[in-house]
Amino acid sequence: MMFLLKKLSVGLLVSSFLIMMSAQAETVKPTFVRSAGTNMTIPIGVTLSADGTKIHFAKFNSGTNLYQYDLSIPFNVSSIDSSSEVILNVTGTDAMAGGKIEDLTFNGDGTKVYAIGFTGQMTVHSLSTPYDLSNATQDADDGINWSTDYGGEGGSNSSHRPHGMRFNNDGTKMFLVDAVNTKGVIEYNLSTPYLPGSASFGNFFATESSREIQDIDFDDDGTRMYVIESRSGNLSSDKIYAYKLSTGFDTSTATFAGSIANFFDAAGGDGGPGGMHFSKDGMKFYQVSFVNDNTGNINKVFEYDLSCPYGIVLCESETASVASAQVEIAKNVIHQNTSTIFKRFEWLRRNENKTNLNSHNLKLNINNPILASLTNELQSSFKSSFKDIKYTQASLKTEKPSNKKRKWSRWSHSDISFGRVGDTFSLKPKEIKTAGIAIGADKLTKNNNIFGFAMRYGNDDVDIKSLTNEELNSQSLSFNVYGQLPVNSKSNLNALLGVSFLSMDQMISGTITGERNGKQIYTALSYEEEQNYTRFDLIPYGKTELGITELSDYTDFGTAATNNIETHERLTFKTRNASAGFKFDHTLYMDESRLSRNGFLEYIVDFTPDIDHRYKNHIDNVTVQNTIKRYSLNNIKGNIGFELFKRSGQTFALNYERFQSLDNSAHTDSLLFKFGATQKNSPDFSVIYEPLKNNNTEISYLKKHDNFDLKVKSNYAMYSKIPDYGAGIELSATF
């Protein structure tokens, strides 16, 4: 039934696609929000700080001044605080001729500000506080006249009049617009990021405009470019032009996507725009006016809301964010599997005599609302069990090895976690939550090797954080084999090999707009010492993790509101992580139990290479390539907690764990609860294969404890064209 419903949904989407393609795409317009006076004449450029708390202007006839104001409400131009005015005079060795500044811009982190004049002079100032002009110091003059010294159309040194200027995300390219002569965009390559003096001519792109070009801007990944024209007289004919770039920030791949007549206030007034700027997330647009249109729109800054990121002329899905989230989900599946099994290795190491190898784990996020009530229950439950424990001095006391026949031991692990990824210059942060359940079995061989296998079902949800309520939901089914090999009496080698199958649903406001499947193979290897060092019992270790993931091609049908349909090519990529750190595991022996105070600190380097992702938008039939960069090269993970072992075989553990990126705000907070007990009733594993029911395969694990039966099961439709995965937990009791 589910399969038929999916097929029907796909059919309806295809029909909708054909209808939409036959209709004319609607031009997307910004929505006017508010305007405010700039307290200056002829504002010619506008920028905002990344956090929206500061706004900056260039004044065309000011005598070479840049202006800065605080915004008491971020990104709200009506909250400009005039008393916070900071004026930066950019007169210096590279002075603006006649005081004619045309535009200003910043480097990626806001520590440099650039100003350009219409006769080709450029000044650069370093800022000790990002985006704060009050502490600026001028850099050395580059000696370049950007009007005549560098190539323009065709690489010639023909004179042109530079107006707007921008950099790409990493500062390896700079863009100037020739306002009057060629009415085009000049692209320069910078051998040193954000250093104009290292420029070489790259490309000239002629715009569609026949009027004076005033400013330029790009979307977050450089696959859309916008230019705005402006001049006195006949103001209503001024336009904003949009271009699609099949390769980000490469103007040689640009194609015209459409234009829109300029706009100013809600009453439909227009004017001569002096500059434009998008907010970091692309959901707000700003422009300033300097020519009076007889409706009062002069020397003002205007603020607009956009219906989608960078939504002027056309709306497109947040392709870069969606693709990066799909990659992050795939990486997270590998991490969750390897993390779960390596926690199993820790359990085996702390269980000194390799007896009572059965364990059942529950992992909950630190912010989970259930945590408080659950903790209270645990406290009351264990208070009576351990109230008579008497502490003794720590010793090297060990138990006699068991002579019992070595059997398979079963274990389970459940996890729920919430975290945050992204938050780079070009991508917005995304909230990610993960839930999963794993079951496994392992056996201790006569020579003390460990061999086992495990299966994990997981679910990942990622909030893309857009006004369109775009999100990703992923289900995964993973199979792992693992082992522990004693290298010598004081060290172990731990290894695993796993495969995963993924199914991702791309959704807008709860409606599935695209489905993508994937498969991956991965391995992990760690080496650790059994010998403890210092009085804190430090245990050094190292680990490496490798994976290969293939995501299928798919079509994102979008919605009727966005009128956007994208076809995404197959995506194959590798993941590589290397880490090193130390564990601490100090055991305190008591009369009837022992207490392990444990944790670890781990430094992780993500060597995952950049990933090229290609897609085609059916509105303009242009293939675009995005580069998905890793979120963070340097990361750190810490864990601290305790584990209580009773001589009767009962165990209880509590650990807090934090994963933190050192390059941005990505992080995950988790709590780990672990319960264990001596095996009384053997659990049952079963595999059911039903060829008459779409070859459905069910794997279940049944644990009997006193009057209660706990059953964990997973199912997989083996040969379905759109595979179905599922998992469930059943708890029953007999009285």
Side-chain angles (χ1 to χ4, degrees), residues 414-432:
S414 303
D415 56 89
I416 303 174
S417 60
F418 293 78
R420 176 187 175 111
V421 297
D423 200 16
T424 65
F425 179 80
S426 61
L427 296 174
K428 300 178 289 298
K430 294 173 281 291
E431 304 296 330
I432 182 171

Side-chain angles (χ1 to χ4, degrees), residues 6 9 38 103 120 150 176 182 247 298 303 306 350 448 591 597 617 653 655 680 706:
K6 288 186 176 182
S9 300
T38 61
D103 199 14
Y150 268 55
L176 299 177
T182 63
T247 301
I298 186 173
E303 175 189 334
L306 304 179
R350 285 197 292 270
N448 284 330
D591 286 346
R597 294 164 291 182
N617 187 282
N655 285 77
K680 295 181 180 181
D706 295 331

Side-chain angles (χ1 to χ4, degrees), residues 22 36 42 132 157 180 298 304 353-354 407 457 463 642:
S22 64
I42 313 185
D132 188 353
N157 291 332
V180 180
I298 186 173
Y304 307 86
N353 297 302
K354 304 297 188 290
K407 299 180 179 180
Y457 169 83
D463 180 11
F642 69 89

Side-chain angles (χ1 to χ4, degrees), residues 378-389 646:
L378 293 174
Q379 288 177 343
S380 61
S381 173
F382 282 88
K383 184 176 181 179
S384 59
S385 301
F386 305 119
K387 65 181 180 180
D388 297 326
I389 291 178
K646 292 191 69 178

Side-chain angles (χ1 to χ4, degrees), residues 314-479:
L314 74 164
C315 262
E316 295 187 312
S317 65
E318 298 178 71
T319 303
S321 291
V322 171
S324 65
Q326 292 171 340
V327 170
E328 190 64 25
I329 285 177
K331 293 170 63 176
N332 192 53
V333 169
I334 296 176
H335 171 73
Q336 291 294 335
N337 277 277
T338 59
S339 177
T340 297
I341 292 175
F342 277 95
K343 285 182 173 65
R344 174 62 175 174
F345 287 137
E346 280 298 292
W347 166 267
L348 297 173
R349 183 182 61 81
R350 285 197 292 270
N351 198 338
E352 294 177 341
N353 297 302
K354 304 297 188 290
T355 60
N356 183 30
L357 300 183
N358 300 279
S359 66
H360 302 278
N361 310 339
L362 173 64
K363 187 176 181 182
L364 299 173
N365 178 262
I366 187 79
N367 296 318
N368 195 292
I370 303 174
L371 183 59
S373 60
L374 180 60
T375 303
N376 293 333
E377 291 292 330
L378 293 174
Q379 288 177 343
S380 61
S381 173
F382 282 88
K383 184 176 181 179
S384 59
S385 301
F386 305 119
K387 65 181 180 180
D388 297 326
I389 291 178
K390 297 179 180 180
Y391 291 83
T392 62
Q393 292 184 348
S395 68
L396 298 177
K397 183 174 69 175
T398 59
E399 302 173 7
K400 295 181 180 181
S402 174
N403 293 321
K404 294 182 179 180
K405 184 179 179 181
R406 303 174 190 270
K407 299 180 179 180
W408 284 93
S409 300
R410 290 86 171 180
W411 58 272
S412 62
H413 179 99
S414 303
D415 56 89
I416 303 174
S417 60
F418 293 78
R420 176 187 175 111
V421 297
D423 200 16
T424 65
F425 179 80
S426 61
L427 296 174
K428 300 178 289 298
K430 294 173 281 291
E431 304 296 330
I432 182 171
K433 54 184 180 181
T434 301
I437 182 168
I439 57 175
D442 46 44
K443 185 176 182 180
L444 178 67
T445 65
K446 293 182 179 180
N447 54 0
N448 284 330
N449 295 337
I450 296 290
F451 171 78
F453 62 91
M455 179 184 72
R456 182 181 185 273
Y457 169 83
N459 182 274
D460 293 84
D461 285 300
V462 180
D463 180 11
I464 307 299
K465 280 188 170 295
S466 69
L467 291 184
T468 56
N469 297 317
E470 195 160 3
E471 60 181 329
L472 287 173
N473 179 270
S474 173
Q475 300 180 74
S476 62
L477 185 64
S478 305
F479 301 91

Side-chain angles (χ1 to χ4, degrees), residues 437 455 698-701 711-715 726-730:
I437 182 168
M455 179 184 72
E698 179 184 292
I699 302 176
S700 65
Y701 166 84
K711 184 177 183 180
V712 181
K713 64 179 183 179
S714 173
N715 62 75
I729 301 176
E730 297 178 2

Side-chain angles (χ1 to χ4, degrees), residues 29-91:
K29 300 179 180 180
T31 301
F32 172 78
V33 178
R34 58 182 68 90
S35 64
T38 61
N39 197 31
M40 67 184 70
T41 56
I42 313 185
I44 201 69
V46 59
T47 66
L48 278 80
S49 61
D51 62 2
T53 60
K54 295 184 182 296
I55 191 169
H56 311 87
F57 303 99
K59 190 176 180 181
F60 182 66
N61 63 346
S62 68
T64 65
N65 287 339
L66 304 179
Y67 291 78
Q68 171 185 299
Y69 301 92
D70 292 339
L71 297 178
S72 57
I73 303 174
F75 301 102
N76 186 328
V77 299
S78 65
S79 69
I80 292 177
D81 181 7
S82 301
S83 65
S84 66
E85 183 181 75
V86 175
I87 300 177
L88 174 63
N89 191 302
V90 297
T91 301

Side-chain angles (χ1 to χ4, degrees), residues 447-449 484-494 525-530:
N447 54 0
N448 284 330
N449 295 337
Q484 183 180 76
L485 175 66
V487 179
N488 51 51
S489 60
K490 298 180 179 180
S491 60
N492 290 322
L493 187 66
N494 304 318
L525 189 70
S526 74
Y527 175 85
E528 66 179 30
E529 293 268 359
E530 285 282 1

